[in-house]
Every structure is written in C-alpha cells, then in structure tokens.
C-alpha cells in the first residue's frame, strides 16, 4: 500500500510545501508512464470485477482539486477498462433548492456506494467546508462544526464497511493559467471555459487556505486524504491509479467459491 502523498491524521497542511510535480511513484518519461497507467487501469478493472462478484466491500473515492485540476479526465482514464455497471460516478455542483432544503449531507449520503460498488465523487461534501467559506455562504459557527460532522459521518461509513479514499489533485497556479489559456484558445475545449473560474483564480490563496484546513481536519486513519501532484496530467492519473490499485489490493476481493459440482449441467446444454 503506497503511503506516498498520504496526509497523516492531525497534520497541519501547507499546500505550498507539497509538490505539484513529482516522480516518487514513477520516474520514467511520459510514454512509459502512459503504458504503466494502461496496465494499472487493467489491474483496477480486474479487482473491480472481483469486488463486484464478492459483493462484500464498498469503496468510496472522493476527488477534489482547484478548477482545471483534472478531476473528470482522471476518472475517465483511470477507469478506462472498468465495467461501468460496477461504478457510480457523480458530480456535485451547486446545491439545488431541493437540496438546500435538507442538511448538507443528505445529497451526499444518497450516493454512497452499494456493496460491491465503487462510488466516485467529483466534488463532494468538502465543498460545504471550503467554497462556502470563500464565498461567505454560511457563518463560521456553521462551517466550523461541520469538520466534526464529516469525521463522524465518514467514521460511520467506514464502520459499516465502506473503504474511503480522498484525493486532492494539487496543481500550481501557473499550471491552472496554462489550462485556462488552453480552454480559451482550443475550440474543442472552449465549452469548458467559465469566466467564474477567473474569479475563483483571483481568490487562489483563500481557496488554498480553506483546503489546507479541510484536509488537515479530516484526514483520518479510515478516511485518509492524499495530496496528489497534478501538474503533469499523466503522472496525476498514474498516481491516482496506483493509490486505487493498492486500496483495492488491500481489500483483496476474491471470486466467490462455488463448491457444487456444476458438470451435470453440461448435459442440459
Ligand atoms: P468542474 O467540477 O469539472 O471544475 P464545473 O466547475 O463547471 O466543473 P459545475 O458542476 O458547473 O462544475 O459546478 C461546480 C461548482 O459548484 C463549483 O464552483 C463548486 O464550488 C460549486 N459547489 C459545489 N458544491 C457546492 C456547495 N455545497 N455549496 C456551494 N457551491 C458548491
């Protein structure tokens, strides 16, 4: 199980000191890295097949990161070979009126994984302790107590059999500029450009600080955060795939054993 990039419970997190570009998990070049990613994708698919067949464990993956950090393309490429029927991917955008009528964990809990399933959250309940602070959507008294709710919510999920992995895709401000420039200049990704991203970018340090708090407050033994260097796209995917492969590996799902002799059924064919 890789400890690389895992945030120890109780740590004080300073994102400026954590790498956005690294080679600790793989020091080859891009071409070799993509080949490795491909192999990891196949391993993840095989482990997911067993997880589904065994119908015992639940897995929850939380993906967060600043705008343009590559959450959706990471999901696409890491699960390239995985059967979609065993996955439950969901994006959490701004809460709807309906959702705001309820407590902030209501919409989250509705999407936690079934047995045998891997749920992937593109954004999550962590928006409720980060963006809400930067945009001043809820008073301090309200967001502050949420850290404790979240720790206990995740503890409950873990106690009930859910393995939780939380990944923060860590990009530099320069890399974000590069990605936004590409969105403006490249017609095939222009649809992704949202001028609001520039407003969020202007508040980069505010976002950095609220994320440092959120990660430090909620990285626990059963629901650890990993801060993944994400400036190089292929390395980011490779690192996420390694962490997930190891997580699924530690669960060691196995195909159910069938003791019955099935050969008599052959006669019915
Ligand atoms: P991507 O997630 O790929 O960057 P996007 O930013 O366009 O794409 P959307 O679904 O349009 O994704 O919206 C996500 C927006 O919703 C983000 O700005 C996010 O901060 C905001 N959001 C998510 N959850 C909450 C929340 N609980 N409260 C307030 N804003 C939230």
């Amino acid at each position: 199980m890789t400890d690389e990039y895992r945030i120890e419970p109780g740590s004080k997190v300073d994102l400026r000191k954590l790498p956005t570009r690294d080679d600790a998990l793989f020091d080859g070049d891009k071409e070799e890295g993509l080949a490795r990613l491909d192999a990891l994708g196949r391993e993840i698919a095989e482990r997911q097949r067993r997880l589904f067949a065994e119908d015992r464990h639940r897995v929850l993956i939380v993906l967060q990161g600043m705008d343009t950090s590559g959450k959706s393309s990471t999901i696409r490429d890491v699960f390239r070979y995985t059967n979609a029927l065993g996955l439950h991917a969901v994006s959490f955008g701004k809460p709807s009126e309906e959702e705001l009528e309820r407590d902030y964990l209501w919409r989250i809990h509705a999407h936690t994984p079934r047995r045998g399933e891997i749920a992937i959250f593109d954004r999550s309940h962590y928006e409720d302790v980060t963006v809400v602070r930067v945009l001043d959507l809820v008073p301090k008294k309200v967001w502050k107590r949420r850290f404790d709710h979240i720790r206990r919510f995740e503890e409950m999920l873990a106690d009930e059999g859910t393995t939780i992995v939380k990944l923060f895709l860590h990009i530099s401000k320069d890399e974000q500029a590069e990605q936004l420039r590409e969105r403006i200049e490249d017609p095939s990704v222009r649809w992704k450009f949202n001028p609001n991203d520039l407003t969020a970018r202007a508040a980069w340090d505010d976002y950095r600080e609220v994320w440092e708090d959120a990660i430090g407050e909620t990285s626990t033994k059963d629901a650890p955060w990993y801060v993944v260097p994400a400036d190089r796209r292929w390395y980011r995917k490779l690192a996420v795939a390694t962490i997930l492969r190891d997580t699924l590996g530690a669960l060691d799902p196995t195909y159910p054993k069938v003791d019955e002799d099935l050969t008599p059924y052959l006669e019915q064919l």
Side-chain angles (χ1 to χ4, degrees):
M1 181 70 210
T2 178
D3 290 339
E4 205 67 46
Y5 310 132
R6 187 166 46 207
I7 304 297
E8 285 308 311
S11 307
K12 178 127 191 53
V13 178
D14 181 346
L15 286 172
R16 287 167 303 188
K17 295 208 176 111
L18 297 175
T20 58
R21 193 188 164 96
D22 194 36
D23 59 9
L25 291 181
F26 190 81
D27 64 0
D29 63 17
K30 178 175 171 180
E31 201 184 326
E32 293 161 338
L34 288 174
R36 177 99 197 95
L37 174 62
D38 201 76
L40 285 165
R42 291 176 194 276
E43 279 189 63
I44 288 171
E46 171 56 24
R47 292 199 169 145
Q48 181 275 341
R49 263 196 294 279
R50 292 165 188 244
L51 191 87
F52 186 82
E54 191 182 55
D55 196 26
R56 177 164 160 232
H57 301 287
R58 310 175 175 95
V59 178
L60 171 60
I61 298 161
V62 171
L63 268 182
Q64 291 279 178
M66 301 284 206
D67 291 329
T68 77
S69 58
K71 298 186 293 296
S72 57
S73 62
T74 298
I75 295 170
R76 182 193 65 207
D77 288 347
V78 168
F79 293 103
R80 185 187 302 164
Y81 296 111
T82 306
N83 187 339
L85 290 174
L87 298 176
H88 176 65
V90 50
S91 295
F92 291 100
K94 283 197 185 72
S96 65
E97 298 261 313
E98 175 86 20
E99 289 166 344
L100 286 171
E101 290 285 322
R102 269 83 176 198
D103 65 87
Y104 67 100
L105 289 175
W106 176 76
R107 66 171 183 162
I108 305 296
H109 205 170
H111 288 285
T112 51
R114 296 181 155 95
R115 272 203 314 269
E117 190 174 66
I118 302 177
I120 308 157
F121 287 1
D122 167 17
R123 302 184 190 271
S124 66
H125 43 304
Y126 285 96
E127 299 287 322
D128 295 288
V129 284
T130 53
V131 68
V132 299
R133 288 178 65 181
V134 176
L135 302 183
D136 211 7
L137 300 178
V138 298
K140 179 170 182 181
K141 184 170 156 246
V142 172
W143 60 255
K144 217 166 166 50
R145 61 189 179 207
R146 289 182 176 173
F147 292 131
D148 195 40
H149 300 160
I150 289 175
R151 280 190 296 264
R152 287 189 284 145
F153 172 62
E154 293 178 352
E155 183 185 11
M156 181 279 288
L157 294 177
D159 285 349
E160 292 288 317
T162 301
T163 297
I164 305 172
V165 179
K166 302 180 295 195
L167 302 153
F168 182 82
L169 305 184
H170 186 28
I171 54 166
S172 62
K173 205 173 171 190
D174 284 349
E175 175 60 21
Q176 187 185 60
E178 200 44 54
Q179 294 297 324
L180 289 172
R181 191 169 299 121
E182 193 177 310
R183 288 184 183 187
I184 294 167
E185 289 174 355
D186 178 349
S188 71
V189 287
R190 210 166 272 163
W191 60 274
K192 288 193 198 171
F193 182 74
N194 180 345
N196 289 338
D197 291 348
L198 296 178
T199 318
R201 177 173 169 79
W204 180 273
D205 284 330
D206 294 341
Y207 278 101
R208 178 177 52 71
E209 283 170 19
V210 296
W211 274 106
E212 289 171 347
D213 264 5
I215 295 169
E217 288 277 352
T218 62
S219 201
T220 59
K221 188 177 149 290
D222 286 332
W225 273 105
Y226 293 80
V227 175
V228 175
D231 276 359
R232 290 189 298 172
R233 300 180 211 192
W234 64 268
Y235 185 86
R236 170 235 300 157
K237 295 171 194 170
L238 189 153
V240 168
T242 304
I243 293 166
L244 297 184
R245 191 271 320 264
D246 289 357
T247 302
L248 294 175
L251 292 176
D252 194 21
T254 47
Y255 290 116
K257 251 178 76 191
V258 180
D259 290 327
E260 187 190 347
D261 176 15
L262 299 181
T263 46
Y265 291 110
L266 289 173
E267 282 156 31
Q268 296 178 32
L269 295 175

